[in-house]
Amino acid sequence: DYAQSIEAPVQTINGKLIAPATMPIIFWQDFDIPWLIIGEPLLHGTQKFSYQAPITAGMILDCELALTGEVQKEGRQGKLTFYTHTLVCRCEGELIVTAETVLIRVGDDHDKKVYNS
């Protein structure tokens, strides 16, 4: 379904469907992310995926999302905060994929935090 939603070709390996490389981004919807502020606009910075094995149909993944970096810089529009997130997914204890995503918050009101809960 995800491959079709992004109009990616459906591929198989050993008769099993393979998920598109970017599929781990949909796993974010299952996490409570307390360090991101409700309703605050964020810019998508970068994203990298490192696969040890493909995600295939029928896999049950155990995934953990962590904030692994927070850096503030001055930009043309004020203060920029770069949040680096690392998502690690395993299947039966074996590492399948590590995804690193950088989200950017723009503005100076960073201390007024109303967190997701």
mmCIF file of all heavy atoms in Angstrom, residues 65-117:
data_model
loop_
_atom_site.group_PDB
_atom_site.id
_atom_site.type_symbol
_atom_site.label_atom_id
_atom_site.label_comp_id
_atom_site.label_asym_id
_atom_site.label_seq_id
_atom_site.Cartn_x
_atom_site.Cartn_y
_atom_site.Cartn_z
ATOM 1 N N LEU A 65 12.693 5.343 18.342
ATOM 2 C CA LEU A 65 12.991 6.679 17.838
ATOM 3 C C LEU A 65 13.619 7.479 18.972
ATOM 4 O O LEU A 65 13.086 7.514 20.076
ATOM 5 C CB LEU A 65 11.715 7.375 17.355
ATOM 6 C CG LEU A 65 11.864 8.794 16.838
ATOM 7 C CD1 LEU A 65 12.695 8.818 15.551
ATOM 8 C CD2 LEU A 65 10.500 9.423 16.612
ATOM 9 N N ALA A 66 14.754 8.104 18.689
ATOM 10 C CA ALA A 66 15.449 8.889 19.715
ATOM 11 C C ALA A 66 15.899 10.226 19.136
ATOM 12 O O ALA A 66 16.246 10.318 17.952
ATOM 13 C CB ALA A 66 16.663 8.124 20.237
ATOM 14 N N LEU A 67 15.882 11.243 19.982
ATOM 15 C CA LEU A 67 16.475 12.533 19.652
ATOM 16 C C LEU A 67 17.963 12.385 19.924
ATOM 17 O O LEU A 67 18.372 12.179 21.067
ATOM 18 C CB LEU A 67 15.871 13.645 20.507
ATOM 19 C CG LEU A 67 16.433 15.043 20.301
ATOM 20 C CD1 LEU A 67 16.145 15.541 18.889
ATOM 21 C CD2 LEU A 67 15.851 15.995 21.335
ATOM 22 N N THR A 68 18.787 12.446 18.879
ATOM 23 C CA THR A 68 20.218 12.193 19.044
ATOM 24 C C THR A 68 21.072 13.443 18.883
ATOM 25 O O THR A 68 22.288 13.367 18.996
ATOM 26 C CB THR A 68 20.686 11.095 18.065
ATOM 27 O OG1 THR A 68 20.298 11.445 16.738
ATOM 28 C CG2 THR A 68 20.078 9.756 18.439
ATOM 29 N N GLY A 69 20.420 14.582 18.622
ATOM 30 C CA GLY A 69 21.174 15.825 18.521
ATOM 31 C C GLY A 69 20.244 17.022 18.447
ATOM 32 O O GLY A 69 19.144 16.931 17.913
ATOM 33 N N GLU A 70 20.687 18.128 19.034
ATOM 34 C CA GLU A 70 19.940 19.387 18.983
ATOM 35 C C GLU A 70 20.962 20.515 18.924
ATOM 36 O O GLU A 70 21.748 20.685 19.847
ATOM 37 C CB GLU A 70 19.055 19.535 20.219
ATOM 38 C CG GLU A 70 18.199 20.771 20.214
ATOM 39 C CD GLU A 70 17.274 20.846 21.426
ATOM 40 O OE1 GLU A 70 16.923 19.805 22.006
ATOM 41 O OE2 GLU A 70 16.913 21.978 21.778
ATOM 42 N N VAL A 71 20.954 21.249 17.804
ATOM 43 C CA VAL A 71 21.930 22.318 17.588
ATOM 44 C C VAL A 71 21.181 23.589 17.203
ATOM 45 O O VAL A 71 20.287 23.553 16.363
ATOM 46 C CB VAL A 71 22.923 21.943 16.459
ATOM 47 C CG1 VAL A 71 23.867 23.091 16.153
ATOM 48 C CG2 VAL A 71 23.687 20.679 16.802
ATOM 49 N N GLN A 72 21.567 24.709 17.818
ATOM 50 C CA GLN A 72 20.963 25.995 17.479
ATOM 51 C C GLN A 72 21.964 26.843 16.718
ATOM 52 O O GLN A 72 23.148 26.869 17.050
ATOM 53 C CB GLN A 72 20.496 26.723 18.737
ATOM 54 C CG GLN A 72 19.335 26.035 19.402
ATOM 55 C CD GLN A 72 18.768 26.830 20.562
ATOM 56 O OE1 GLN A 72 19.300 27.862 20.936
ATOM 57 N NE2 GLN A 72 17.683 26.336 21.120
ATOM 58 N N LYS A 73 21.438 27.515 15.679
ATOM 59 C CA LYS A 73 22.259 28.412 14.869
ATOM 60 C C LYS A 73 21.418 29.636 14.541
ATOM 61 O O LYS A 73 20.198 29.594 14.582
ATOM 62 C CB LYS A 73 22.671 27.739 13.552
ATOM 63 C CG LYS A 73 23.538 26.520 13.723
ATOM 64 C CD LYS A 73 23.885 25.910 12.371
ATOM 65 C CE LYS A 73 24.749 24.677 12.563
ATOM 66 N NZ LYS A 73 25.091 24.060 11.286
ATOM 67 N N GLU A 74 22.088 30.734 14.216
ATOM 68 C CA GLU A 74 21.383 31.934 13.765
ATOM 69 C C GLU A 74 21.235 31.865 12.256
ATOM 70 O O GLU A 74 22.185 31.543 11.543
ATOM 71 C CB GLU A 74 22.151 33.200 14.153
ATOM 72 C CG GLU A 74 22.027 33.552 15.610
ATOM 73 C CD GLU A 74 20.599 33.844 16.056
ATOM 74 O OE1 GLU A 74 19.842 34.478 15.285
ATOM 75 O OE2 GLU A 74 20.242 33.441 17.172
ATOM 76 N N GLY A 75 20.023 32.164 11.782
ATOM 77 C CA GLY A 75 19.753 32.178 10.351
ATOM 78 C C GLY A 75 19.151 33.508 9.954
ATOM 79 O O GLY A 75 18.933 34.382 10.787
ATOM 80 N N ARG A 76 18.833 33.661 8.685
ATOM 81 C CA ARG A 76 18.236 34.906 8.190
ATOM 82 C C ARG A 76 16.887 35.178 8.833
ATOM 83 O O ARG A 76 16.487 36.318 8.999
ATOM 84 C CB ARG A 76 18.062 34.848 6.679
ATOM 85 C CG ARG A 76 19.362 34.921 5.910
ATOM 86 C CD ARG A 76 19.090 34.854 4.452
ATOM 87 N NE ARG A 76 18.354 33.595 4.218
ATOM 88 C CZ ARG A 76 18.155 33.032 3.067
ATOM 89 N NH1 ARG A 76 18.586 33.604 1.983
ATOM 90 N NH2 ARG A 76 17.508 31.893 2.958
ATOM 91 N N GLN A 77 16.161 34.116 9.194
ATOM 92 C CA GLN A 77 14.827 34.266 9.774
ATOM 93 C C GLN A 77 14.834 34.165 11.296
ATOM 94 O O GLN A 77 13.799 34.014 11.911
ATOM 95 C CB GLN A 77 13.899 33.204 9.192
ATOM 96 C CG GLN A 77 13.744 33.328 7.695
ATOM 97 C CD GLN A 77 12.959 32.168 7.113
ATOM 98 O OE1 GLN A 77 12.766 31.154 7.759
ATOM 99 N NE2 GLN A 77 12.494 32.331 5.899
ATOM 100 N N GLY A 78 16.007 34.250 11.883
ATOM 101 C CA GLY A 78 16.109 34.155 13.343
ATOM 102 C C GLY A 78 16.810 32.869 13.750
ATOM 103 O O GLY A 78 17.600 32.304 13.008
ATOM 104 N N LYS A 79 16.474 32.434 14.940
ATOM 105 C CA LYS A 79 17.108 31.245 15.491
ATOM 106 C C LYS A 79 16.600 29.997 14.763
ATOM 107 O O LYS A 79 15.418 29.838 14.515
ATOM 108 C CB LYS A 79 16.788 31.119 16.974
ATOM 109 C CG LYS A 79 17.563 30.018 17.681
ATOM 110 C CD LYS A 79 17.129 29.836 19.124
ATOM 111 C CE LYS A 79 17.430 31.062 19.939
ATOM 112 N NZ LYS A 79 17.078 30.878 21.367
ATOM 113 N N LEU A 80 17.532 29.102 14.421
ATOM 114 C CA LEU A 80 17.208 27.815 13.824
ATOM 115 C C LEU A 80 17.638 26.727 14.795
ATOM 116 O O LEU A 80 18.752 26.769 15.318
ATOM 117 C CB LEU A 80 17.945 27.608 12.503
ATOM 118 C CG LEU A 80 17.726 28.638 11.403
ATOM 119 C CD1 LEU A 80 18.639 28.348 10.216
ATOM 120 C CD2 LEU A 80 16.273 28.640 10.965
ATOM 121 N N THR A 81 16.772 25.786 15.052
ATOM 122 C CA THR A 81 17.132 24.640 15.883
ATOM 123 C C THR A 81 17.033 23.393 15.011
ATOM 124 O O THR A 81 15.985 23.127 14.429
ATOM 125 C CB THR A 81 16.215 24.508 17.104
ATOM 126 O OG1 THR A 81 16.259 25.737 17.843
ATOM 127 C CG2 THR A 81 16.676 23.379 18.012
ATOM 128 N N PHE A 82 18.139 22.683 14.923
ATOM 129 C CA PHE A 82 18.215 21.464 14.127
ATOM 130 C C PHE A 82 18.090 20.268 15.071
ATOM 131 O O PHE A 82 18.928 20.081 15.955
ATOM 132 C CB PHE A 82 19.556 21.391 13.391
ATOM 133 C CG PHE A 82 19.724 22.466 12.364
ATOM 134 C CD1 PHE A 82 20.072 23.754 12.718
ATOM 135 C CD2 PHE A 82 19.540 22.179 11.015
ATOM 136 C CE1 PHE A 82 20.225 24.752 11.765
ATOM 137 C CE2 PHE A 82 19.691 23.164 10.057
ATOM 138 C CZ PHE A 82 20.036 24.456 10.424
ATOM 139 N N TYR A 83 17.033 19.479 14.882
ATOM 140 C CA TYR A 83 16.795 18.283 15.700
ATOM 141 C C TYR A 83 17.165 17.053 14.873
ATOM 142 O O TYR A 83 16.557 16.798 13.831
ATOM 143 C CB TYR A 83 15.325 18.174 16.098
ATOM 144 C CG TYR A 83 14.835 19.288 16.979
ATOM 145 C CD1 TYR A 83 14.110 20.347 16.448
ATOM 146 C CD2 TYR A 83 15.087 19.273 18.340
ATOM 147 C CE1 TYR A 83 13.647 21.368 17.255
ATOM 148 C CE2 TYR A 83 14.635 20.296 19.161
ATOM 149 C CZ TYR A 83 13.913 21.337 18.608
ATOM 150 O OH TYR A 83 13.459 22.352 19.411
ATOM 151 N N THR A 84 18.147 16.303 15.335
ATOM 152 C CA THR A 84 18.529 15.073 14.647
ATOM 153 C C THR A 84 17.863 13.903 15.363
ATOM 154 O O THR A 84 17.994 13.756 16.578
ATOM 155 C CB THR A 84 20.055 14.880 14.645
ATOM 156 O OG1 THR A 84 20.647 16.016 14.004
ATOM 157 C CG2 THR A 84 20.457 13.618 13.913
ATOM 158 N N HIS A 85 17.143 13.106 14.587
ATOM 159 C CA HIS A 85 16.425 11.949 15.109
ATOM 160 C C HIS A 85 17.003 10.684 14.495
ATOM 161 O O HIS A 85 17.326 10.660 13.299
ATOM 162 C CB HIS A 85 14.945 12.020 14.728
ATOM 163 C CG HIS A 85 14.261 13.228 15.246
ATOM 164 N ND1 HIS A 85 14.313 14.448 14.599
ATOM 165 C CD2 HIS A 85 13.521 13.418 16.350
ATOM 166 C CE1 HIS A 85 13.631 15.330 15.294
ATOM 167 N NE2 HIS A 85 13.139 14.742 16.363
ATOM 168 N N THR A 86 17.101 9.637 15.302
ATOM 169 C CA THR A 86 17.549 8.349 14.795
ATOM 170 C C THR A 86 16.473 7.318 15.081
ATOM 171 O O THR A 86 16.040 7.163 16.232
ATOM 172 C CB THR A 86 18.887 7.926 15.445
ATOM 173 O OG1 THR A 86 19.854 8.939 15.178
ATOM 174 C CG2 THR A 86 19.376 6.602 14.882
ATOM 175 N N LEU A 87 16.046 6.653 14.019
ATOM 176 C CA LEU A 87 15.063 5.576 14.108
ATOM 177 C C LEU A 87 15.790 4.276 13.795
ATOM 178 O O LEU A 87 16.411 4.151 12.734
ATOM 179 C CB LEU A 87 13.935 5.803 13.094
ATOM 180 C CG LEU A 87 12.875 4.714 12.991
ATOM 181 C CD1 LEU A 87 12.007 4.689 14.243
ATOM 182 C CD2 LEU A 87 12.019 4.916 11.758
ATOM 183 N N VAL A 88 15.746 3.340 14.736
ATOM 184 C CA VAL A 88 16.391 2.042 14.559
ATOM 185 C C VAL A 88 15.313 0.969 14.567
ATOM 186 O O VAL A 88 14.489 0.928 15.500
ATOM 187 C CB VAL A 88 17.417 1.770 15.688
ATOM 188 C CG1 VAL A 88 18.026 0.386 15.558
ATOM 189 C CG2 VAL A 88 18.505 2.835 15.689
ATOM 190 N N CYS A 89 15.293 0.135 13.526
ATOM 191 C CA CYS A 89 14.287 -0.934 13.431
ATOM 192 C C CYS A 89 14.974 -2.285 13.335
ATOM 193 O O CYS A 89 15.904 -2.469 12.544
ATOM 194 C CB CYS A 89 13.391 -0.731 12.218
ATOM 195 S SG CYS A 89 12.423 0.789 12.270
ATOM 196 N N ARG A 90 14.479 -3.216 14.152
ATOM 197 C CA ARG A 90 15.001 -4.589 14.188
ATOM 198 C C ARG A 90 13.868 -5.567 13.931
ATOM 199 O O ARG A 90 12.716 -5.271 14.224
ATOM 200 C CB ARG A 90 15.630 -4.889 15.541
ATOM 201 C CG ARG A 90 16.784 -3.980 15.897
ATOM 202 C CD ARG A 90 17.346 -4.273 17.298
ATOM 203 N NE ARG A 90 18.408 -3.353 17.622
ATOM 204 C CZ ARG A 90 19.681 -3.476 17.239
ATOM 205 N NH1 ARG A 90 20.030 -4.528 16.525
ATOM 206 N NH2 ARG A 90 20.581 -2.588 17.566
ATOM 207 N N CYS A 91 14.228 -6.718 13.426
ATOM 208 C CA CYS A 91 13.285 -7.817 13.259
ATOM 209 C C CYS A 91 13.923 -9.049 13.885
ATOM 210 O O CYS A 91 15.038 -9.434 13.497
ATOM 211 C CB CYS A 91 12.987 -8.065 11.779
ATOM 212 S SG CYS A 91 11.800 -9.390 11.491
ATOM 213 N N GLU A 92 13.242 -9.606 14.874
ATOM 214 C CA GLU A 92 13.758 -10.770 15.612
ATOM 215 C C GLU A 92 15.174 -10.509 16.123
ATOM 216 O O GLU A 92 16.042 -11.373 16.074
ATOM 217 C CB GLU A 92 13.697 -12.020 14.746
ATOM 218 C CG GLU A 92 12.278 -12.390 14.362
ATOM 219 C CD GLU A 92 12.190 -13.608 13.463
ATOM 220 O OE1 GLU A 92 13.232 -14.225 13.137
ATOM 221 O OE2 GLU A 92 11.054 -13.959 13.095
ATOM 222 N N GLY A 93 15.417 -9.275 16.600
ATOM 223 C CA GLY A 93 16.705 -8.916 17.181
ATOM 224 C C GLY A 93 17.765 -8.493 16.182
ATOM 225 O O GLY A 93 18.802 -7.973 16.569
ATOM 226 N N GLU A 94 17.527 -8.694 14.897
ATOM 227 C CA GLU A 94 18.502 -8.339 13.866
ATOM 228 C C GLU A 94 18.228 -6.928 13.339
ATOM 229 O O GLU A 94 17.089 -6.601 13.006
ATOM 230 C CB GLU A 94 18.448 -9.334 12.702
ATOM 231 C CG GLU A 94 18.819 -10.756 13.080
ATOM 232 C CD GLU A 94 20.273 -10.893 13.500
ATOM 233 O OE1 GLU A 94 21.156 -10.265 12.871
ATOM 234 O OE2 GLU A 94 20.524 -11.617 14.485
ATOM 235 N N LEU A 95 19.291 -6.120 13.255
ATOM 236 C CA LEU A 95 19.160 -4.763 12.733
ATOM 237 C C LEU A 95 18.732 -4.812 11.270
ATOM 238 O O LEU A 95 19.356 -5.514 10.461
ATOM 239 C CB LEU A 95 20.486 -4.008 12.864
ATOM 240 C CG LEU A 95 20.502 -2.574 12.329
ATOM 241 C CD1 LEU A 95 19.513 -1.696 13.080
ATOM 242 C CD2 LEU A 95 21.904 -2.005 12.401
ATOM 243 N N ILE A 96 17.676 -4.097 10.941
ATOM 244 C CA ILE A 96 17.196 -4.020 9.564
ATOM 245 C C ILE A 96 17.542 -2.660 8.952
ATOM 246 O O ILE A 96 18.124 -2.588 7.879
ATOM 247 C CB ILE A 96 15.660 -4.250 9.489
ATOM 248 C CG1 ILE A 96 15.299 -5.617 10.062
ATOM 249 C CG2 ILE A 96 15.155 -4.091 8.057
ATOM 250 C CD1 ILE A 96 15.908 -6.808 9.338
ATOM 251 N N VAL A 97 17.179 -1.572 9.654
ATOM 252 C CA VAL A 97 17.409 -0.248 9.092
ATOM 253 C C VAL A 97 17.650 0.773 10.201
ATOM 254 O O VAL A 97 17.085 0.675 11.283
ATOM 255 C CB VAL A 97 16.217 0.202 8.203
ATOM 256 C CG1 VAL A 97 14.938 0.288 8.993
ATOM 257 C CG2 VAL A 97 16.496 1.523 7.489
ATOM 258 N N THR A 98 18.504 1.726 9.893
ATOM 259 C CA THR A 98 18.703 2.911 10.719
ATOM 260 C C THR A 98 18.405 4.110 9.832
ATOM 261 O O THR A 98 18.957 4.215 8.734
ATOM 262 C CB THR A 98 20.147 2.994 11.247
ATOM 263 O OG1 THR A 98 20.436 1.816 11.988
ATOM 264 C CG2 THR A 98 20.341 4.219 12.123
ATOM 265 N N ALA A 99 17.496 4.961 10.291
ATOM 266 C CA ALA A 99 17.132 6.152 9.530
ATOM 267 C C ALA A 99 17.442 7.384 10.375
ATOM 268 O O ALA A 99 17.075 7.441 11.537
ATOM 269 C CB ALA A 99 15.647 6.123 9.174
ATOM 270 N N GLU A 100 18.118 8.351 9.772
ATOM 271 C CA GLU A 100 18.428 9.603 10.457
ATOM 272 C C GLU A 100 17.665 10.724 9.766
ATOM 273 O O GLU A 100 17.742 10.869 8.543
ATOM 274 C CB GLU A 100 19.919 9.888 10.420
ATOM 275 C CG GLU A 100 20.293 11.145 11.183
ATOM 276 C CD GLU A 100 21.777 11.408 11.154
ATOM 277 O OE1 GLU A 100 22.490 10.821 11.975
ATOM 278 O OE2 GLU A 100 22.202 12.200 10.287
ATOM 279 N N THR A 101 16.912 11.497 10.541
ATOM 280 C CA THR A 101 16.102 12.585 10.018
ATOM 281 C C THR A 101 16.418 13.858 10.783
ATOM 282 O O THR A 101 16.451 13.852 12.011
ATOM 283 C CB THR A 101 14.598 12.269 10.169
ATOM 284 O OG1 THR A 101 14.314 11.046 9.495
ATOM 285 C CG2 THR A 101 13.734 13.383 9.609
ATOM 286 N N VAL A 102 16.633 14.953 10.052
ATOM 287 C CA VAL A 102 16.851 16.258 10.673
ATOM 288 C C VAL A 102 15.627 17.122 10.389
ATOM 289 O O VAL A 102 15.232 17.312 9.232
ATOM 290 C CB VAL A 102 18.123 16.944 10.144
ATOM 291 C CG1 VAL A 102 18.273 18.337 10.747
ATOM 292 C CG2 VAL A 102 19.353 16.090 10.437
ATOM 293 N N LEU A 103 15.009 17.612 11.468
ATOM 294 C CA LEU A 103 13.905 18.563 11.375
ATOM 295 C C LEU A 103 14.397 19.906 11.897
ATOM 296 O O LEU A 103 15.199 19.956 12.836
ATOM 297 C CB LEU A 103 12.711 18.088 12.201
ATOM 298 C CG LEU A 103 12.094 16.757 11.772
ATOM 299 C CD1 LEU A 103 10.965 16.372 12.723
ATOM 300 C CD2 LEU A 103 11.590 16.825 10.350
ATOM 301 N N ILE A 104 13.908 20.995 11.295
ATOM 302 C CA ILE A 104 14.392 22.331 11.644
ATOM 303 C C ILE A 104 13.232 23.191 12.140
ATOM 304 O O ILE A 104 12.211 23.309 11.474
ATOM 305 C CB ILE A 104 15.042 23.015 10.419
ATOM 306 C CG1 ILE A 104 16.130 22.113 9.829
ATOM 307 C CG2 ILE A 104 15.599 24.393 10.807
ATOM 308 C CD1 ILE A 104 16.551 22.515 8.434
ATOM 309 N N ARG A 105 13.420 23.783 13.310
ATOM 310 C CA ARG A 105 12.445 24.731 13.858
ATOM 311 C C ARG A 105 13.004 26.135 13.633
ATOM 312 O O ARG A 105 14.175 26.399 13.913
ATOM 313 C CB ARG A 105 12.229 24.483 15.348
ATOM 314 C CG ARG A 105 11.239 25.447 15.940
ATOM 315 C CD ARG A 105 10.848 25.184 17.358
ATOM 316 N NE ARG A 105 11.827 24.481 18.146
ATOM 317 C CZ ARG A 105 11.762 24.348 19.459
ATOM 318 N NH1 ARG A 105 10.757 24.860 20.114
ATOM 319 N NH2 ARG A 105 12.673 23.700 20.109
ATOM 320 N N VAL A 106 12.158 27.047 13.144
ATOM 321 C CA VAL A 106 12.565 28.425 12.857
ATOM 322 C C VAL A 106 11.873 29.350 13.848
ATOM 323 O O VAL A 106 10.683 29.226 14.097
ATOM 324 C CB VAL A 106 12.171 28.832 11.422
ATOM 325 C CG1 VAL A 106 12.576 30.278 11.148
ATOM 326 C CG2 VAL A 106 12.798 27.898 10.405
ATOM 327 N N GLY A 107 12.610 30.285 14.429
ATOM 328 C CA GLY A 107 12.022 31.292 15.306
ATOM 329 C C GLY A 107 12.726 31.391 16.627
ATOM 330 O O GLY A 107 13.529 30.541 17.004
ATOM 331 N N ASP A 108 12.391 32.471 17.357
ATOM 332 C CA ASP A 108 13.062 32.760 18.616
ATOM 333 C C ASP A 108 12.288 32.330 19.854
ATOM 334 O O ASP A 108 12.776 32.480 20.958
ATOM 335 C CB ASP A 108 13.348 34.264 18.721
ATOM 336 C CG ASP A 108 14.385 34.703 17.697
ATOM 337 O OD1 ASP A 108 15.311 33.912 17.417
ATOM 338 O OD2 ASP A 108 14.255 35.815 17.177
ATOM 339 N N ASP A 109 11.072 31.806 19.698
ATOM 340 C CA ASP A 109 10.268 31.459 20.872
ATOM 341 C C ASP A 109 10.455 29.996 21.281
ATOM 342 O O ASP A 109 9.536 29.331 21.703
ATOM 343 C CB ASP A 109 8.790 31.763 20.618
ATOM 344 C CG ASP A 109 8.229 30.986 19.444
ATOM 345 O OD1 ASP A 109 9.023 30.417 18.659
ATOM 346 O OD2 ASP A 109 6.999 30.948 19.322
ATOM 347 N N HIS A 110 11.670 29.507 21.206
ATOM 348 C CA HIS A 110 11.968 28.109 21.481
ATOM 349 C C HIS A 110 11.783 27.719 22.938
ATOM 350 O O HIS A 110 11.676 26.548 23.250
ATOM 351 C CB HIS A 110 13.400 27.783 21.053
ATOM 352 C CG HIS A 110 13.580 27.883 19.578
ATOM 353 N ND1 HIS A 110 14.316 26.995 18.865
ATOM 354 C CD2 HIS A 110 13.100 28.765 18.666
ATOM 355 C CE1 HIS A 110 14.306 27.321 17.592
ATOM 356 N NE2 HIS A 110 13.573 28.399 17.458
ATOM 357 N N ASP A 111 11.760 28.681 23.829
ATOM 358 C CA ASP A 111 11.638 28.341 25.241
ATOM 359 C C ASP A 111 10.189 28.184 25.679
ATOM 360 O O ASP A 111 9.913 27.713 26.769
ATOM 361 C CB ASP A 111 12.324 29.402 26.103
ATOM 362 C CG ASP A 111 13.811 29.449 25.811
ATOM 363 O OD1 ASP A 111 14.392 28.389 25.509
ATOM 364 O OD2 ASP A 111 14.389 30.552 25.882
ATOM 365 N N LYS A 112 9.247 28.568 24.831
ATOM 366 C CA LYS A 112 7.820 28.436 25.146
ATOM 367 C C LYS A 112 7.356 27.057 24.687
ATOM 368 O O LYS A 112 6.874 26.896 23.581
ATOM 369 C CB LYS A 112 7.018 29.514 24.440
ATOM 370 C CG LYS A 112 7.413 30.914 24.861
ATOM 371 C CD LYS A 112 6.672 31.941 24.034
ATOM 372 C CE LYS A 112 7.195 33.339 24.332
ATOM 373 N NZ LYS A 112 6.653 34.321 23.419
ATOM 374 N N LYS A 113 7.554 26.052 25.512
ATOM 375 C CA LYS A 113 7.330 24.673 25.090
ATOM 376 C C LYS A 113 6.013 24.126 25.611
ATOM 377 O O LYS A 113 5.749 24.155 26.787
ATOM 378 C CB LYS A 113 8.492 23.784 25.547
ATOM 379 C CG LYS A 113 9.790 24.174 24.891
ATOM 380 C CD LYS A 113 10.901 23.243 25.254
ATOM 381 C CE LYS A 113 12.189 23.671 24.532
ATOM 382 N NZ LYS A 113 13.283 22.796 24.767
ATOM 383 N N VAL A 114 5.189 23.646 24.690
ATOM 384 C CA VAL A 114 3.986 22.900 25.013
ATOM 385 C C VAL A 114 4.153 21.580 24.276
ATOM 386 O O VAL A 114 4.016 21.516 23.060
ATOM 387 C CB VAL A 114 2.699 23.630 24.516
ATOM 388 C CG1 VAL A 114 1.479 22.795 24.837
ATOM 389 C CG2 VAL A 114 2.615 25.009 25.129
ATOM 390 N N TYR A 115 4.516 20.550 24.998
ATOM 391 C CA TYR A 115 4.909 19.302 24.370
ATOM 392 C C TYR A 115 3.731 18.409 24.041
ATOM 393 O O TYR A 115 2.683 18.469 24.666
ATOM 394 C CB TYR A 115 5.861 18.527 25.284
ATOM 395 C CG TYR A 115 7.194 19.199 25.443
ATOM 396 C CD1 TYR A 115 7.515 19.858 26.609
ATOM 397 C CD2 TYR A 115 8.122 19.157 24.428
ATOM 398 C CE1 TYR A 115 8.749 20.478 26.759
ATOM 399 C CE2 TYR A 115 9.359 19.763 24.563
ATOM 400 C CZ TYR A 115 9.667 20.414 25.737
ATOM 401 O OH TYR A 115 10.877 21.017 25.852
ATOM 402 N N ASN A 116 3.963 17.538 23.039
ATOM 403 C CA ASN A 116 3.023 16.463 22.757
ATOM 404 C C ASN A 116 2.899 15.605 24.007
ATOM 405 O O ASN A 116 3.835 15.471 24.771
ATOM 406 C CB ASN A 116 3.534 15.574 21.619
ATOM 407 C CG ASN A 116 3.425 16.229 20.284
ATOM 408 O OD1 ASN A 116 2.474 16.922 20.009
ATOM 409 N ND2 ASN A 116 4.414 16.004 19.436
ATOM 410 N N SER A 117 1.761 15.004 24.208
ATOM 411 C CA SER A 117 1.638 14.073 25.339
ATOM 412 C C SER A 117 0.820 12.886 24.939
ATOM 413 O O SER A 117 0.206 12.830 23.930
ATOM 414 C CB SER A 117 0.989 14.760 26.527
ATOM 415 O OG SER A 117 -0.273 15.270 26.165
#
